[in-house]
Amino acid sequence: MFQKLKQFRELRHTAKRLQRELAEQRMTAEHNGITVEVDGNLDISRVDLPTGVGTEELQRRLPAALNHAIDKAQRVAAKCIRKHGGLEGLGLGKG
């Protein structure tokens, strides 16, 4: 029982360290004239919209731009997790 508790604490510690590391990663993605800044935890910190574009056009472009930025951040997060040994290195895979 104490071994499982120790493993859980180590996992929690590793997960928090990974979360902090991902929060420091900033990615900027541009799509359809919209620039989005997002961190590795998928928190959006900035959106720059083009001037002179109507509301309907922005509503059409914005979802794709946000999805593009999130996809980029997810790829960076996956790379970071692999750097730490993948899911096995985090204590979540086969073992």
Side-chain angles (χ1 to χ4, degrees):
M1 180 172 137
F2 290 113
Q3 183 64 23
K4 292 286 185 186
L5 183 59
K6 181 180 176 186
Q7 288 174 337
F8 176 74
R9 285 184 180 157
E10 289 173 2
L11 174 61
R12 192 170 85 193
H13 175 73
T14 302
K16 285 183 182 279
R17 186 179 75 237
L18 180 60
Q19 188 176 26
R20 282 190 304 272
E21 186 176 324
L22 287 172
E24 293 173 4
Q25 298 283 331
R26 298 265 182 238
M27 282 83 34
T28 302
E30 191 277 331
H31 189 74
N32 288 327
I34 298 173
T35 303
V36 179
E37 184 179 273
V38 62
D39 69 22
N41 288 323
L42 306 182
D43 291 328
I44 296 171
S45 56
R46 191 182 91 236
V47 177
D48 292 331
L49 303 173
T51 58
V53 178
T55 302
E56 287 182 15
E57 182 65 18
L58 287 175
Q59 288 175 336
R60 188 184 67 73
R61 291 183 188 184
L62 190 57
L66 292 171
N67 288 332
H68 181 70
I70 289 169
D71 181 59
K72 187 174 183 178
Q74 286 175 329
R75 282 184 269 130
V76 169
K79 189 176 183 180
C80 185
I81 289 170
R82 282 192 302 272
K83 182 179 86 175
H84 286 284
L87 294 179
E88 289 83 13
L90 296 175
L92 296 175
K94 300 172 189 167

